[in-house]
């Protein structure tokens, strides 16, 4: 009767399980199929991460499969025009460019960026970078990376952190968007639901009433950027009252003695009350609540934890956990030893590779921010070729516009993305990857959960377009390079590589779809915390900009309904409030009191200016934000023109906030920036 | 009197724990994905944005730092109407019998092919739970592949709304029939939003069945058209006597108060009445 509306064909219903890799949570998902055609995604019941629950992005994964901005075949850009080409041609083009750099004895000028260094696909990229002759391999910042560097700095241990929140009885969160998509989102939603039945209290320290703060038993609105001070003041009170675990702390340890003195004097409740805006009694009550709890745990990592953070803040929060004596204890802060169970064959390095690899790395730390800053600062980009996989630095790094300019300076960029995202738009060659529902790959859980799981994603559908598995793309690129580069990749296909490299666990992985290590192995020998890192203030992370010019503070905030480097799906964007996005306008949240002083009302259009950039946005009055502070949602302002359902909407807040390199870790620790607004 | 009329009929309903809901939006997307709900380039005009399940953000109206917020998911309430006789506001006004009350399940249906788009039902619904298709749905190239055959895609000119995933009930009944069973177990018929909720905030089942979780959570009063006897539970706009089958639970008084529009002093009286009723 209505021939213009589709009639979806009926057929046999089946379910197939795989793993969602849209974030670090790695939920088990079940794909409902009709005659082999995927129609719906649901959470896998009984899965250790998400037990049947699933977030809106996971449910929307089929929209990522049919996303209009997918790159449908290899492409080469000449004179700013994309041309679809064959795989052979694209690979030859990329191989030639890389070969020329090597021949010029400049192999170290080839850099590679991946999202993380876990799993065989990242392993292949790292290996390729090495055998080409470069040590310039970088991963994107995350809170897990910041935690790992902090733990290394204060304990000298390499460990993965995991918070045993399910078994704790008090969670003291310093700005972690525990139910805003933090770490493993669905896992944490379930911990939150468990709070009601298991009496787990949540105290949220944050200048804005986020969903987490609203769900918490107590909201502590400390001034932005003073979270570490508050944590140190709580440490001071615990030490003064002797309310800390004497077994976990060596009282005669000189670093602890100095720390105790500093925490009690410099961060006395009276002084900290002035810094944080939290009164003396409240600080003392927080300390007492922490001391009275049987299994308290303190957590840090702002918002979703998609960026790093201040080492001082993380170390102060770690100190709280040490005082509670909960390191590696039930309900506490776990330092896990995760064995990737991988066997890689040895590599072959030719003269060009050996020479290149022996050169100094462009930047000391493993941060893309610093790499980009180096490119920006140099007249001629030291990076001559850049390989980008599973990362979108031109969107997700702070000061995104400067990063975009830096990437433009790099003579040759190879993107392995499935989508025409911001970074891929600037590439010279795209070797498009299958998206996760089209491929088999090992994934290791990286979110800060007390679990050690390696899972295998499985293809749910045959690849829709002329794309390849990113692992196979690396293998074919290496093959095209010939010589020692090709020889270092002895596998016929990615599948063969996966099976060989994962040989120690392959049987279980391939048969069951995952290897769950239970119980997880904890780092056996942990030295007592070295508190000296906290003794000086050099690592205080302040907001960029001077107060006289920029009287307000802008904070990017995470919203569970939006994503980061991959744009959200049409369904997810549809759920976003019209007080966050209206048409193509982004909103800033402002306290009605501050708005009143500036004579602004709901919906007014204003120019928001920071030391980094400016944008026109609309005003949203919200009582739950601290006066003088502005908040703007992360995840908008994608420029993907092919996908009008999500592209071209709103402003990317990363274009308004600059990175602040942490004095200790070198990772980006910016939590906001000073700002001003004026009526348009 | 009313209950007897219904005999052994089911009365499917939902209980949403607002203290567990985090406003994550999984229920909204699970619903869209299950029910072939379309999307447009711009969905920020919420008046024409089709969301069978919509999550509202409520605030307590207090200034910083005493502010509190609560998220409230709103599906179709599947109202029983005055006296719970099935005269739902929308059903009563539909001139085409395109929307009807099923006495066997308590579900308010929507038959797209009968609807001619007068939108009386939208005007009658006090919950803004009904949506009109101003345009034909359009999916980007290739995306029609993911549409489910269990729910017909709608065309322009018709009204649509939450069906409590009625097709899932049909599937569960078919399965029971094939297995020669008379009844569908509680876990066999669950809506997509209930299943997806990562917080376990939504509970779905038969309000007439004392063994079902929904019944135990709200303890519906059969003499007062299913009014909740749990003092922490409430229904939206209770005083309109629409008798919704969607209940909300919250420990927070301001949230329960937000379930209706009270004049000054009215809430105190309503609270007293409720407490008495409970005793």
């Amino acid at each position: 009767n209505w021939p213009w509306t589709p009639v979806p064909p009926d057929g046999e219903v089946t379910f197939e399980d795989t793993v969602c890799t849209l974030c670090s949570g790695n939920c088990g998902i079940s794909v409902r199929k009709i005659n082999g055609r995927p129609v719906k995604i649901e959470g896998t019941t009984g899965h250790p991460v998400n037990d049947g629950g699933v977030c809106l992005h996971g449910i929307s994964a089929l929209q990522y499969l049919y996303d209009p901005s997918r790159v449908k075949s290899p492409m080469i850009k000449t004179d700013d025009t994309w041309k679809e080409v064959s795989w052979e041609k694209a690979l030859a083009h990329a191989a030639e460019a890389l070969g020329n750099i090597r021949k010029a004895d400049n192999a170290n000028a080839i850099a590679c960026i991946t999202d993380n260094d876990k799993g065989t696909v990242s392993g292949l990229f790292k290996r390729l970078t090495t055998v080409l002759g470069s040590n310039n391999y970088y991963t994107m910042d995350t809170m897990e990376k910041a935690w790992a560097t902090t733990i290394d700095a204060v304990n000298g241990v390499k460990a993965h952190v995991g918070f045993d929140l399910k078994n704790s009885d008090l969670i003291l969160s310093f700005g972690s968007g525990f139910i805003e998509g933090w770490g493993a989102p669905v896992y944490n939603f379930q911990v939150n639901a468990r709070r009601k039945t298991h009496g787990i209290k949540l105290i949220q320290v944050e200048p804005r009433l986020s969903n987490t703060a609203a769900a918490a038993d107590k909201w502590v609105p400390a001034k932005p950027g003073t979270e570490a001070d508050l944590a140190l003041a709580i440490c001071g009170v615990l030490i003064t009252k002797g309310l800390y675990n004497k077994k976990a702390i060596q009282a005669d340890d000189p670093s602890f003695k100095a720390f105790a003195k500093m925490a009690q004097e410099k961060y006395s409740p009276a002084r900290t009350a002035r810094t944080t805006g939290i009164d003396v009694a409240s600080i003392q009550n927080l300390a007492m609540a922490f001391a009275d709890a049987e299994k308290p745990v303190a957590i840090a990592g702002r918002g979703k934890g998609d960026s790093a953070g201040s080492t001082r803040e993380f170390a102060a929060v770690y100190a709280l956990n040490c005082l509670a004596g909960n390191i590696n204890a039930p309900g506490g802060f776990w330092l896990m030893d995760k064995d990737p169970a991988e066997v890689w064959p040895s590599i072959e390095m030719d003269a060009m590779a050996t020479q290149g690899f022996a050169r100094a790395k462009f930047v000391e730390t493993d941060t893309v921010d610093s790499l980009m800053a180096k490119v920006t600062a140099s007249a001629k980009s030291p990076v001559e070729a850049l390989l980008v996989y599973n990362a979108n630095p031109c969107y997700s790094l702070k000061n995104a516009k400067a990063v975009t300019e830096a990437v433009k300076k790099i003579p040759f960029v190879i993107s392995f993305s499935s989508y025409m995202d911001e970074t891929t738009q600037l590439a010279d060659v795209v070797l498009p990857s299958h998206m996760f529902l089209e491929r088999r790959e090992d994934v290791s859980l990286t979110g800060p959960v007390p679990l050690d799981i390696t899972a295998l994603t499985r293809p749910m559908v045959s690849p829709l377009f002329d794309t390849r598995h990113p692992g196979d793309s690396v293998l074919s690129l290496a093959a095209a390079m010939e010589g020692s580069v090709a020889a270092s990749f002895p596998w016929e296909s990615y599948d063969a590589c996966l099976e060989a490299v994962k040989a120690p666990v392959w049987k279980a992985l391939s048969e069951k779809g995952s290897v769950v290590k239970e119980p997880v192995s904890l780092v056996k020998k942990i030295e007592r915390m070295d508190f000296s890192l906290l003794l000086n203030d050099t690592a205080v992370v302040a907001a960029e900009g001077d107060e006289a010019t920029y009287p307000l503070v802008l904070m990017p905030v995470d919203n569970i309904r939006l994503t980061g480097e991959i744009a959200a799906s049409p369904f997810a964007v549809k759920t976003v409030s019209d007080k966050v996005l209206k048409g193509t306008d982004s909103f800033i949240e402002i306290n009605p009191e501050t708005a009143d002083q500036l004579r602004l009302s709901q919906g007014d259009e204003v120019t928001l200016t920071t030391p980094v950039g400016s944008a026109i946005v609309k005003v949203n009055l919200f009582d739950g934000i601290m006066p003088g502070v502005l908040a703007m949602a992360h995840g908008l302002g994608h420029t993907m023109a092919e996908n009008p359902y999500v592209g071209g909407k709103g402003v990317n807040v990363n274009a308004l906030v600059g990175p602040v390199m942490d004095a200790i870790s070198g990772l980006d620790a910016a939590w906001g920036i000073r700002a001003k607004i004026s009526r348009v | 009197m009313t209950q007897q009329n219904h005999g052994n009929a089911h009365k499917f309903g939902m209980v949403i724990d607002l203290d567990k809901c985090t406003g994550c939006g999984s229920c909204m997307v699970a619903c869209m994905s299950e029910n072939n709900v379309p999307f447009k380039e711009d969905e920020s005009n919420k008046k024409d944005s089709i969301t069978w399940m919509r999550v509202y953000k409520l605030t307590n109206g207090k200034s910083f730092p005493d502010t509190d917020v609560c998220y409230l998911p709103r599906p179709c309430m599947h109202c029983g109407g005055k006296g719970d006789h099935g005269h739902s506001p929308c059903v009563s006004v539909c001139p085409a019998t395109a929307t009807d009350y099923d006495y066997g399940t308590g579900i308010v249906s929507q038959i797209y092919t009968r609807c001619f788009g007068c939108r009386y039902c939208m005007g009658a619904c006090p919950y803004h739970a009904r949506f009109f298709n101003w345009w034909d749905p359009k999916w980007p190239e290739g995306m029609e592949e993911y549409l489910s055959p269990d729910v017909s895609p709608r065309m322009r000119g018709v009204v649509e709304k939450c069906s409590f995933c009625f097709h899932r009930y049909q599937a569960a009944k078919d399965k029971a029939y094939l297995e020669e069973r008379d009844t569908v177990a509680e876990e066999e018929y669950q809506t997509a939003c209930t299943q997806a909720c990562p917080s376990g905030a939504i509970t779905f089942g038969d309000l007439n069945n004392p063994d079902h979780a929904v019944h135990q959570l709200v303890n519906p009063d059969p003499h007062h058209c299913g009014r909740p006897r749990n003092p922490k539970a409430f229904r939206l706009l209770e005083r309109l006597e629409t008798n919704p089958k969607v209940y909300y639970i919250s420990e927070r008084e301001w949230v329960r108060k937000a379930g209706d529009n009270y004049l000054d002093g009215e809430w105190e009286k309503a609270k007293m009445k409720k407490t008495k009723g409970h005793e």
Side-chain angles (χ1 to χ4, degrees):
Chain A
N1 276 5
W2 288 269
W4 62 89
T5 52
V7 181
D10 209 346
E12 193 199 349
V13 182
T14 52
F15 285 89
E16 272 180 63
D17 291 348
T18 186
V19 178
C20 176
T21 64
L22 290 170
C23 83
S24 58
N26 297 163
C27 289
I29 52 172
S30 301
V31 179
R32 185 162 91 218
K33 293 178 161 188
I34 305 285
N35 273 352
R37 177 174 67 90
V39 297
K40 170 94 192 286
I41 289 182
E42 289 163 5
T44 308
T45 308
H47 192 278
V49 173
N50 57 312
D51 188 17
V54 61
C55 85
L56 75 167
H57 304 298
I59 303 170
S60 308
L62 292 173
Q63 296 197 320
Y64 285 100
L65 174 65
Y66 299 106
D67 189 315
S69 65
R70 287 216 40 197
V71 181
K72 297 177 181 66
S73 85
M75 300 213 281
I76 293 180
K77 187 158 64 187
T78 30
D79 302 329
D80 269 349
T81 314
W82 284 112
K83 205 179 148 206
E84 295 197 347
V85 294
S86 67
W87 273 93
E88 288 65 37
K89 207 164 167 191
L91 287 164
H93 185 61
E96 192 194 342
L98 297 177
N100 288 342
I101 298 169
R102 275 164 52 81
K103 275 180 214 144
D105 260 342
N106 207 12
N108 204 35
I110 300 168
C112 177
I113 300 172
T114 62
D115 58 338
N116 64 41
D117 57 2
K118 310 286 182 301
T120 53
V121 176
S122 291
L124 284 170
F125 276 96
K126 193 172 180 179
R127 187 178 178 90
L128 178 67
T129 315
T130 307
V131 298
L132 286 170
S134 172
N135 49 33
N136 282 299
Y137 170 77
Y138 301 86
T139 56
M140 298 294 279
D141 282 2
T142 56
M143 78 168 145
E144 288 85 7
K145 205 165 140 184
W147 269 119
T149 29
T150 306
I151 300 303
D152 194 13
V154 299
N155 263 347
V157 225
K158 304 259 183 272
H160 295 263
V161 295
F163 298 96
D164 189 20
L165 303 175
K166 264 187 186 160
N167 298 309
S168 69
D169 62 353
L170 174 78
I171 304 168
L172 178 54
S173 154
F174 290 85
S176 298
F178 177 58
I179 50 171
E180 246 90 15
W182 189 73
V186 176
Y187 183 89
N188 289 327
F189 283 130
Q190 290 174 350
V191 172
N192 186 58
R194 188 183 162 96
R195 285 177 43 223
K196 228 183 146 174
T197 46
H198 287 69
I200 306 169
K201 296 270 178 256
L202 171 67
I203 301 176
Q204 181 74 1
V205 179
E206 200 176 357
R208 172 182 172 268
L209 187 75
S210 63
N211 291 354
T212 310
D217 297 278
K218 190 171 173 52
W219 171 36
V220 183
K223 286 182 196 162
T226 66
E227 290 83 352
D229 301 65
L230 186 60
L232 292 171
I234 297 171
C235 288
V237 176
L238 295 176
I239 294 168
T240 307
K241 299 197 187 236
L243 295 171
Y244 60 91
N245 188 312
K246 310 277 181 338
K247 270 184 244 158
I249 303 286
Q250 217 161 16
D252 56 356
D253 165 17
S255 91
F256 176 69
K257 273 178 154 168
F259 172 73
K261 187 165 179 291
M262 180 202 69
Q264 293 177 86
E265 292 171 7
K266 207 165 153 203
Y267 297 97
S268 69
R271 288 181 77 164
T272 310
R274 285 195 293 277
T275 349
T276 59
I278 303 303
D279 64 58
V280 173
S282 300
I283 295 174
Q284 274 160 342
N285 289 344
L286 277 176
M288 291 314 291
F290 198 72
D292 287 345
E294 248 175 69
K295 286 183 280 182
V297 60
I299 63 174
R302 269 161 216 272
K304 291 185 182 182
D306 284 346
S307 55
S310 142
T311 309
R312 175 173 169 264
E313 186 179 309
F314 280 49
V317 170
Y318 185 64
L320 266 176
N321 288 301
C322 289
L323 291 176
N326 70 8
I327 310 298
N328 285 354
F333 186 122
W334 290 9
L335 298 173
M336 299 181 290
D337 189 8
K338 288 191 183 178
D339 176 7
E342 290 172 7
V343 207
W344 292 89
S346 57
I347 49 171
E348 268 185 50
M349 303 273 274
D350 58 15
M352 292 180 281
T354 317
Q355 218 162 4
F357 200 79
R359 295 214 183 133
K361 202 173 167 181
F362 286 142
V363 288
E364 290 283 306
T365 48
D366 167 26
T367 81
V368 185
D369 291 280
S370 307
L371 180 70
M372 292 300 161
K374 173 110 182 169
V375 174
T376 304
S378 317
K380 184 172 167 282
S381 168
V383 179
E384 290 182 19
L386 178 68
L387 282 67
V388 188
Y389 167 68
N390 244 6
N392 185 8
C394 293
Y395 177 86
S396 54
L397 289 186
K398 299 215 178 74
N399 203 350
K401 278 183 189 150
V403 174
T404 303
E405 290 310 310
V407 172
K408 280 185 190 162
K409 272 170 89 174
I410 299 172
F412 198 75
V413 178
I414 309 172
S415 168
F416 294 81
S417 178
S418 308
Y419 306 97
M420 194 44 87
D421 56 35
E422 287 77 5
T423 308
T424 306
Q425 288 166 27
L426 302 179
D428 296 273
V429 185
V430 195
L431 302 174
S433 297
H434 299 334
M435 62 84 74
F436 80 93
L437 294 171
E438 297 170 324
R439 72 194 203 211
R440 184 155 78 146
E441 181 184 348
D442 58 308
V443 289
S444 301
L445 184 56
T446 54
V449 285
L451 300 170
D452 184 351
I453 304 174
T454 303
L456 197 63
T457 68
R458 296 181 237 240
M460 293 290 113
V461 59
S462 320
L464 298 183
F465 307 111
D466 187 14
T467 54
R468 278 193 190 172
H469 193 294
D472 281 318
S473 300
V474 172
L475 295 187
S476 19
L477 185 57
M481 302 286 302
E482 301 175 342
S484 65
V485 177
S488 293
F489 295 86
W491 310 279
E492 253 178 41
S493 64
Y494 169 73
D495 266 350
C497 164
L498 175 65
E499 193 176 333
V501 173
K502 281 284 174 193
V505 289
W506 182 248
K507 198 171 177 312
L509 195 58
S510 55
E511 282 169 11
K512 290 190 210 130
S514 66
V515 179
V516 183
K517 197 163 180 200
E518 216 172 26
V520 302
S521 66
L522 298 169
V523 175
K524 296 223 169 50
K525 194 168 174 326
I526 309 162
E527 298 297 325
R528 291 208 163 81
M529 177 178 178
D530 176 3
F531 290 89
S532 48
L533 185 146
L534 285 163
L535 294 179
N536 65 55
D537 277 349
T538 50
V540 173
V541 180
E544 186 184 347
D546 68 287
E547 202 171 336
T549 323
Y550 301 102
L552 304 167
V553 170
L554 169 68
M555 285 177 44
V557 293
D558 283 332
N559 180 327
I560 179 70
R561 302 190 193 168
L562 288 166
T563 48
E565 58 186 34
I566 310 180
S569 61
F571 276 160
V573 172
K574 185 171 173 174
T575 68
V576 172
S577 157
D578 57 355
K579 288 177 175 175
V580 172
L581 173 74
K582 176 86 184 170
T584 56
D585 292 322
S586 274
F587 283 75
I588 43 160
E589 269 176 13
I590 182 168
N591 189 285
E593 192 187 295
T594 314
D596 222 32
Q597 286 161 8
L598 298 163
R599 297 175 188 281
L600 294 171
S601 12
Q602 179 69 32
D604 279 355
E605 230 173 47
V606 292
T607 307
L608 168 65
T609 311
T610 70
V612 169
S614 83
I616 293 177
V617 292
K618 282 187 168 169
V619 164
N620 178 36
L621 304 182
F622 180 46
D623 278 307
I625 188 163
M626 181 178 282
V629 178
L630 307 171
M632 192 168 156
H634 253 145
L636 292 167
H638 275 283
T639 59
M640 301 150 92
E642 297 80 3
N643 186 347
Y645 305 94
V646 301
K649 292 181 188 294
V651 174
N652 179 6
V653 70
N654 291 327
L656 299 170
V657 183
V660 176
M661 308 304 180
D662 187 85
I664 298 162
S665 68
L667 306 181
D668 172 28
W671 49 263
I673 193 161
R674 300 213 68 94
K676 61 178 178 185
I677 48 179
S678 55
R679 204 184 275 277
V680 173
Chain B
M1 170 190 109
T2 59
Q3 288 300 308
Q4 285 83 337
N5 287 352
H6 296 170
N8 292 325
H10 302 296
K11 190 176 166 190
F12 289 109
M14 192 176 275
V15 182
I16 306 179
D17 187 331
L18 299 179
D19 299 337
K20 278 189 185 167
C21 174
T22 65
C24 76
S26 282
C27 54
M28 294 174 75
V29 171
C31 170
M32 294 181 207
S33 175
E34 178 78 20
N35 293 297
N36 295 337
V37 175
F39 53 89
K40 310 184 294 296
E41 276 187 28
D42 181 12
E43 289 283 0
S44 68
N45 179 2
K46 299 302 178 190
K47 286 181 186 155
D48 69 25
S49 180
I50 300 178
T51 44
W52 293 11
M53 175 63 118
R54 180 175 293 183
V55 179
Y56 288 90
K57 185 178 183 177
L58 315 177
T59 68
N60 65 352
K62 291 192 179 166
S63 58
F64 183 89
D66 299 316
T67 322
D68 193 11
V69 305
C70 174
Y71 289 91
L72 184 138
R74 190 254 35 225
C76 168
M77 300 286 136
H78 295 275
C79 303
K82 190 155 179 159
D84 221 6
H85 298 301
H87 301 299
S88 325
C90 52
V91 172
S92 317
V93 298
C94 181
T97 328
T99 188
D100 207 357
Y101 191 84
D102 180 346
Y103 290 94
T105 58
I107 291 177
V108 175
S109 62
Q110 181 72 24
I111 301 157
Y112 314 121
T113 45
R114 282 188 192 165
C115 175
F116 55 75
C118 74
R119 291 173 282 137
Y120 282 4
C121 59
M122 290 174 69
C125 173
Y127 302 103
H128 299 286
R130 298 180 151 268
F131 299 90
F132 185 62
N133 285 274
W134 290 94
W135 301 275
D136 272 319
K138 234 169 67 189
W139 284 270
E141 196 189 338
M143 222 183 255
E144 280 181 16
E145 275 291 301
Y146 77 44
L147 295 178
S148 157
D150 298 333
V151 183
S152 343
R154 282 71 66 186
M155 55 304 248
R156 68 172 182 268
V158 305
V159 169
E160 61 181 80
K161 67 156 194 88
C162 155
S163 67
F164 269 173
C165 289
F166 188 73
H167 60 282
R168 288 187 168 212
Y169 183 51
Q170 287 172 315
K173 275 199 303 185
D174 286 351
K175 187 163 177 278
Y177 179 79
L178 279 175
E179 292 168 6
E180 299 180 350
R181 285 183 284 127
D182 293 336
T183 50
V184 167
E186 187 177 8
E187 66 280 3
E188 281 185 300
Y189 170 37
Q190 290 292 323
T191 64
C193 53
T194 309
Q195 180 194 30
C197 178
S199 296
I202 310 178
T203 311
F204 183 80
D206 185 356
L207 290 161
N208 279 350
N209 188 336
D211 294 333
H212 280 205
V214 283
H215 181 98
Q216 290 161 4
L217 281 168
V218 297
N219 193 6
D221 184 347
H223 304 294
H224 291 93
C225 305
R227 206 165 68 191
R229 282 180 288 194
N230 172 354
K232 306 291 183 201
F234 66 99
R235 299 188 289 190
L236 296 182
L237 309 178
E238 178 70 61
R239 294 179 298 173
L240 292 183
E241 297 188 55
T242 49
N243 290 314
K245 276 187 275 299
V246 177
Y247 296 74
Y248 297 92
I249 294 183
S250 178
E251 295 284 334
R252 292 172 283 182
E253 190 180 329
W254 75 265
V255 172
R256 301 198 295 271
K257 189 180 166 192
D260 210 331
N261 303 299
Y262 295 98
L263 298 172
D264 275 350
E266 247 187 334
W267 168 247
E268 307 307 321
K269 272 188 236 159
K271 234 179 16 176
M272 295 259 296
K273 200 166 138 196
K274 196 168 179 184
T275 327
K276 263 194 206 142
H278 185 57
E279 282 162 0

PDB file of all heavy atoms in Angstrom, chain B residues 7 9 24 33 55 59 110:
ATOM      1  N   GLY B   7     -11.018 -10.074  34.628  1.00  0.00           N
ATOM      2  CA  GLY B   7     -10.791 -11.501  34.826  1.00  0.00           C
ATOM      3  C   GLY B   7      -9.333 -11.805  35.048  1.00  0.00           C
ATOM      4  O   GLY B   7      -8.672 -11.161  35.846  1.00  0.00           O
ATOM      5  N   ALA B   9      -6.961 -11.345  33.020  1.00  0.00           N
ATOM      6  CA  ALA B   9      -6.176 -10.647  32.015  1.00  0.00           C
ATOM      7  C   ALA B   9      -4.858 -10.164  32.588  1.00  0.00           C
ATOM      8  O   ALA B   9      -4.726  -9.926  33.787  1.00  0.00           O
ATOM      9  CB  ALA B   9      -6.964  -9.465  31.478  1.00  0.00           C
ATOM     10  N   CYS B  24      21.553   7.997  30.915  1.00  0.00           N
ATOM     11  CA  CYS B  24      22.551   7.652  29.896  1.00  0.00           C
ATOM     12  C   CYS B  24      21.980   7.575  28.497  1.00  0.00           C
ATOM     13  O   CYS B  24      22.713   7.696  27.526  1.00  0.00           O
ATOM     14  CB  CYS B  24      23.242   6.340  30.242  1.00  0.00           C
ATOM     15  SG  CYS B  24      22.254   4.868  29.932  1.00  0.00           S
ATOM     16  N   SER B  33      16.287   1.544  17.967  1.00  0.00           N
ATOM     17  CA  SER B  33      16.907   0.488  17.198  1.00  0.00           C
ATOM     18  C   SER B  33      15.969  -0.723  17.067  1.00  0.00           C
ATOM     19  O   SER B  33      15.907  -1.377  16.035  1.00  0.00           O
ATOM     20  CB  SER B  33      18.205   0.116  17.905  1.00  0.00           C
ATOM     21  OG  SER B  33      18.818  -0.957  17.306  1.00  0.00           O
ATOM     22  N   VAL B  55      13.955  10.716  27.585  1.00  0.00           N
ATOM     23  CA  VAL B  55      14.426  10.943  28.953  1.00  0.00           C
ATOM     24  C   VAL B  55      14.431  12.445  29.233  1.00  0.00           C
ATOM     25  O   VAL B  55      15.112  13.205  28.553  1.00  0.00           O
ATOM     26  CB  VAL B  55      15.834  10.345  29.160  1.00  0.00           C
ATOM     27  CG1 VAL B  55      16.309  10.606  30.576  1.00  0.00           C
ATOM     28  CG2 VAL B  55      15.823   8.845  28.879  1.00  0.00           C
ATOM     29  N   THR B  59      14.961  19.372  37.439  1.00  0.00           N
ATOM     30  CA  THR B  59      15.819  19.923  38.490  1.00  0.00           C
ATOM     31  C   THR B  59      14.940  20.366  39.651  1.00  0.00           C
ATOM     32  O   THR B  59      13.748  20.623  39.477  1.00  0.00           O
ATOM     33  CB  THR B  59      16.658  21.137  38.015  1.00  0.00           C
ATOM     34  OG1 THR B  59      15.775  22.224  37.771  1.00  0.00           O
ATOM     35  CG2 THR B  59      17.427  20.833  36.762  1.00  0.00           C
ATOM     36  N   GLN B 110      -1.291   0.827  18.392  1.00  0.00           N
ATOM     37  CA  GLN B 110      -1.297   1.872  17.368  1.00  0.00           C
ATOM     38  C   GLN B 110      -1.198   1.157  16.027  1.00  0.00           C
ATOM     39  O   GLN B 110      -0.209   0.476  15.752  1.00  0.00           O
ATOM     40  CB  GLN B 110      -0.107   2.821  17.569  1.00  0.00           C
ATOM     41  CG  GLN B 110      -0.034   3.959  16.571  1.00  0.00           C
ATOM     42  CD  GLN B 110      -1.127   5.011  16.807  1.00  0.00           C
ATOM     43  OE1 GLN B 110      -1.645   5.136  17.925  1.00  0.00           O
ATOM     44  NE2 GLN B 110      -1.519   5.719  15.773  1.00  0.00           N
TER      45      GLN B 110
END
